[in-house]
Amino acid sequence: IESGGWLLVQFAPAVSPSERLALLADFGAIADSYVPHNAWLARVPAGAVESLTREAGVTWVGRFHPAFKLSPLLGAPLPGQALVSSSAPDPWRLDLRLAGDADVNALRTKLESLGVRVTDANVPVMRVEANDTAAVVLLAALDEVLFIGETVEARTLNNSSRGICQGGTPGVESVHGKGVRGATQTVAVRDTGIDTRHCCFDGGGKIVDNR
């Protein structure tokens, strides 16, 4: 780990979240994300590793091994299967979570040299297709890649609930059929919070009060 790069830095429980981030910044490290328990994934300069390790609030510093980047579900839909299954899909359709400072154009060139096809070049998630498990292992070794999971295409899973709740049968919306659609009604909910950007609530006037 003396050469720096992406490392896992664990702190004493007494060190507050803000103090952890400030401490990393003091050593020139770039914090990426929290890792249980009491640790951060951070890019640490080579010259700062030894001093950071000796810091009183730091309990452990270790390498962010490429194997940590592979989703446990990658090629292994059933519990107990290998991390990368021998019956791999052809091709692998993968989502790569990138480091925030990744150069997308340079990474695309690098991936093409590895035989990996980029289907959607974005930050923080780039979508690619890899021909075999060997290519997946090479992807995990890239410094710009922080996590690899299989691409999951969005599909509707709960589009029949209205009919089931209203009439006991999908598509039979008996309550809506009687003209009852919630207009002019105010509903009170006691909960821990609300996502005001959610499609159910982001329309004008939908939220009367939120505290």
Side-chain angles (χ1 to χ4, degrees):
I1 65 174
E2 290 76 9
S3 59
W6 287 108
L7 302 176
L8 294 169
V9 183
Q10 188 177 46
F11 299 87
V15 181
S16 70
S18 59
E19 289 172 333
R20 296 167 190 170
L21 292 174
L23 186 59
L24 290 171
D26 289 343
F27 284 89
I30 300 174
D32 178 82
S33 54
Y34 174 78
V35 179
H37 296 287
N38 307 317
W40 274 84
L41 172 62
R43 190 197 296 272
V44 183
V49 176
E50 185 176 351
S51 299
L52 179 62
T53 304
R54 293 199 304 265
E55 185 69 23
V58 175
T59 59
W60 183 80
V61 177
R63 182 187 177 206
F64 184 52
H65 194 281
F68 298 164
K69 302 178 183 182
L70 301 176
S71 167
L73 302 178
L74 191 62
L78 298 176
Q81 283 190 319
L83 192 61
V84 178
S85 171
S86 58
S87 57
D90 182 20
W92 283 96
R93 292 181 175 84
L94 304 169
D95 284 354
L96 311 180
R97 188 172 83 77
L98 308 181
D101 58 354
D103 184 328
V104 173
N105 292 327
L107 179 58
R108 179 194 285 272
T109 300
K110 187 182 296 185
L111 294 179
E112 290 173 349
S113 70
L114 297 175
V116 175
R117 188 168 76 89
V118 177
T119 58
D120 193 353
N122 285 308
V123 173
V125 178
M126 175 182 282
R127 289 194 162 180
V128 303
E129 291 184 352
N131 291 328
D132 50 38
T133 54
V136 179
V137 173
L138 291 175
L139 288 172
L142 296 178
D143 200 43
E144 301 93 333
V145 176
L146 299 183
F147 188 77
I148 302 174
E150 288 191 67
T151 298
V152 178
E153 299 296 340
R155 60 191 180 96
T156 304
L157 292 175
N158 197 28
N159 58 327
S160 60
S161 61
R162 290 198 310 271
I164 294 172
C165 292
Q166 294 181 30
T169 305
V172 180
E173 299 172 8
S174 55
V175 177
H176 285 178
K178 296 181 184 299
V180 180
R181 305 186 67 90
T184 74
Q185 304 300 305
T186 300
V187 178
V189 178
R190 182 172 182 172
D191 206 336
T192 54
I194 187 170
D195 181 2
T196 57
R197 298 168 298 176
H198 191 281
C199 61
C200 288
F201 309 118
D202 63 357
K206 288 187 176 182
I207 298 178
V208 177
D209 184 28
N210 176 32
R211 65 185 72 182

